[in-house]
Amino acid sequence: MVMTPRIRKSFVIAILLALLASLTGCKLTPITDRPAHIPNGYERVYAKDFDHADDLADVVCTDADAWRIREAEGRSFLELFAASDYRPTYRSPGNIALFKPGTATDFVLDLDMMQSGREYNHRDLCLFFGVVDADHYYYAHMATLGDDNAHQVFIVNEAPRTPITTQRTVGVDWGTDEWHHVRLVRDAGEGTIRVYFDDMDNPVLEASDTTFTSGYIGVGSFDDTGRFDNVTVWASGWDDTPCEVFDGEEE
C-alpha cells in the first residue's frame, strides 16, 4: 500500500498514542469531532459517568440520604432510591440532585435515565435547569400519561409549579428495567426548551420562557425513584461557581 502524507501522519499518531498508553497504563479516548447535534461554539463543560463512590460529592441534593452511587448488571450510576426528607416552600418536586460544578445559559444536556418505580399515570423522572435557588427554576417532568400536573415543562417562581408547555406527546413509556436516552436543549435567548426521549428527532416536550436565563442543572423526580448515568453538558458558556442551593437542607 502506498502511504499518502495524510495516511502516514495518521499512522504515526496512532503509534505514538499506543506507545504512550503502554508506558502510562492509561486508556486513551480517541480524539473525535463534536457530535453532530451540538451547535458550533459549544464546548463540553461537564461529563460524569458515576463510576466511583465519591462521585456523589459532585451533586448537591435536597436530601443526600435519598441518593447513592450504585452498581448493578455491570453498570454504575447515580440512583434516587428513597423519598427525600425535604418539603419545598411551594408545591414542586422534593427529590432533586443538582450538578455542583457550575451554571449554563444555552446548553445541550444528554444522559441515560431509568425509572425504577411502579407503573401509574404520573410515574416520572425530571430534569431541572435554570436553577437560581430553591424557589426559582424550571423542570421537565416526563410521565407515563400527561395531564395538567404531569408530562409538562414547569416553572417554579416563588409560587406552586406552573406548566409552560407549548407542545407535548401523550406521555412516555418507561418500561421495566429499561434505560432511555434523554436530551434537553435550551436556548435562553430564544426562550426555547425541547426535551427528547429515545427519539432524538421528535421532542416529547416543548416550551418557551425567558424568566430564568441561567442556572444550575440537575436530575430527580417529583415523588418516584430512578437511575441516572452518562451525563454530558455542552454549553456556549459556563460559570464554574459551585452550587450551594440545597446545602444543609437535610440537616
Side-chain angles (χ1 to χ4, degrees):
M1 179 181 71
V2 177
M3 285 192 176
T4 65
R6 177 176 295 180
I7 293 176
R8 187 180 299 110
K9 180 178 180 181
S10 299
F11 183 70
V12 171
I13 291 175
I15 292 176
L16 291 175
L17 288 174
L19 179 61
L20 179 60
S22 65
L23 292 174
T24 62
C26 296
K27 181 179 179 181
L28 298 178
T29 301
I31 299 172
T32 59
D33 294 331
R34 72 181 64 246
H37 67 281
I38 302 301
N40 290 332
Y42 280 43
E43 300 295 335
R44 187 173 64 178
V45 296
Y46 182 81
K48 186 66 63 173
D49 55 16
F50 303 105
D51 280 346
H52 308 285
D54 58 3
D55 283 343
L56 193 60
D58 206 47
V59 297
V60 176
C61 309
T62 49
D63 180 358
D65 291 336
W67 296 82
R68 65 188 175 192
I69 304 296
R70 183 185 172 195
E71 182 175 348
E73 300 179 352
R75 179 174 187 163
S76 60
F77 44 82
L78 174 67
E79 181 176 45
L80 168 64
F81 67 94
S84 298
D85 183 13
Y86 170 75
R87 298 295 176 269
T89 304
Y90 307 99
R91 180 68 171 163
S92 54
N95 306 289
I96 304 173
L98 300 178
F99 306 134
K100 191 172 186 177
T103 63
T105 301
D106 300 332
F107 67 88
V108 177
L109 165 66
D110 274 293
L111 76 163
D112 297 329
M113 304 169 70
M114 176 192 290
Q115 223 286 349
S116 57
R118 65 182 178 88
E119 183 60 84
Y120 69 110
N121 287 353
H122 283 196
R123 183 188 186 198
D124 82 284
L125 288 178
C126 299
L127 298 177
F128 299 85
F129 57 104
V131 180
V132 180
D133 57 39
D135 299 328
H136 303 86
Y137 61 88
Y138 301 109
Y139 72 97
H141 182 277
M142 288 161 283
T144 300
L145 185 63
D147 58 31
D148 289 346
N149 299 315
H151 199 55
Q152 302 261 14
V153 179
F154 293 94
I155 185 172
V156 177
N157 190 11
E158 292 188 14
R161 44 85 161 104
T162 301
I164 57 173
T165 315
T166 56
Q167 184 173 331
R168 62 176 177 167
T169 59
V170 173
V172 297
D173 182 8
W174 288 110
T176 302
D177 297 329
E178 293 183 17
W179 284 100
H180 300 275
H181 186 68
V182 178
R183 177 176 298 156
L184 190 154
V185 180
R186 168 63 166 163
D187 186 318
E190 296 292 333
T192 55
I193 299 160
R194 296 185 177 91
V195 180
Y196 301 83
F197 186 92
D198 288 335
D199 178 356
M200 299 295 111
D201 293 322
N202 301 291
V204 295
L205 293 170
E206 294 184 72
S208 182
D209 192 86
T210 58
T211 303
F212 309 130
T213 57
S214 181
Y216 294 99
I217 301 169
V219 295
S221 173
F222 200 99
D223 45 19
D224 285 325
T225 57
R227 302 171 178 179
F228 308 87
D229 196 12
N230 296 328
V231 175
T232 305
V233 179
W234 297 79
S236 60
W238 181 252
D239 182 339
D240 60 1
T241 302
C243 178
E244 298 180 351
V245 172
F246 297 114
D247 273 3
E249 292 289 355
E250 70 269 16
E251 298 178 358

